[in-house]
């Protein structure tokens, strides 16, 4: 499963999915790992909705066939991620475990390998 976090400069960082805590963890960079000694993660139980963002795909250069999503959390935070087919299923399953029952999930979230 390939999941990447996309920052505001449209740079990608690897993400791991922690099924036990229902969280995405962003792979820490040097500063986070050694200086700040912290990890950045997103609690999928707080996920409010997801929508597909084809506009991000034009700005992110990646060789991987990914679907680009904007994840909107209950605290109004918005996080852009790129997911492959397995990642897409993990995200939509996480929504259902958060008792969202697919509410807010676009029917257009269909994986298209380029």
């Amino acid at each position: 499963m390939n999941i990447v976090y996309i920052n505001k400069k449209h740079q990608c960082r690897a993400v791991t999915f922690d099924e036990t805590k229902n969280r995405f963890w962003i792979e820490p960079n040097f500063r986070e790992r050694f200086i700040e000694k912290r990890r950045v993660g997103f609690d999928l139980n707080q996920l409010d909705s997801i929508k597909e963002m084809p506009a991000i795909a034009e700005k992110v250069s990646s060789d991987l066939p990914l679907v680009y999503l904007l994840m909107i959390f209950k605290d109004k935070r918005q996080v852009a991620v790129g997911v492959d087919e397995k990642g897409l299923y993990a995200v939509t399953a996480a929504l259902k475990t958060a008792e969202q029952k697919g509410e807010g999930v676009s029917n257009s979230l269909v994986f298209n390998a380029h």
Side-chain angles (χ1 to χ4, degrees):
M1 170 169 45
N2 282 315
I3 305 174
V4 294
Y5 164 74
I6 303 159
N7 67 16
K8 291 178 182 175
K9 296 178 182 176
H10 300 104
Q11 298 166 325
C12 297
R13 288 170 61 185
V15 170
T16 54
F17 177 51
D18 183 351
E19 290 183 50
T20 57
K21 295 185 179 178
N22 202 29
R23 240 175 222 279
F24 280 150
W25 291 107
I26 299 173
E27 290 298 316
N29 59 25
F30 179 81
R31 190 166 119 196
E32 291 164 348
R33 185 181 298 131
F34 296 110
I35 298 171
E36 298 172 359
K37 297 185 179 173
R38 68 182 180 99
R39 292 179 74 189
V40 176
F42 303 106
D43 184 359
L44 295 177
N45 292 323
Q46 298 299 311
L47 197 54
D48 200 24
S49 64
I50 296 178
K51 59 182 175 179
E52 192 172 352
M53 293 295 293
I56 296 175
E58 298 166 9
K59 298 176 183 176
V60 177
S61 61
S62 175
D63 296 335
L64 300 172
L66 300 175
V67 175
Y68 294 91
L69 307 173
L70 184 66
M71 302 183 346
I72 302 160
F73 291 85
K74 291 178 182 173
D75 63 359
K76 305 300 180 210
R77 247 181 332 149
Q78 297 185 355
V79 176
V81 294
V83 297
D84 64 0
E85 188 172 10
K86 290 181 185 174
L88 185 61
Y89 294 131
V91 168
T92 53
L95 263 182
K96 290 176 186 166
T97 54
E99 297 180 340
Q100 298 294 326
K101 306 289 187 240
E103 214 172 286
V105 178
S106 168
N107 290 335
S108 67
L109 292 181
V110 177
F111 183 78
N112 295 319
H114 298 2

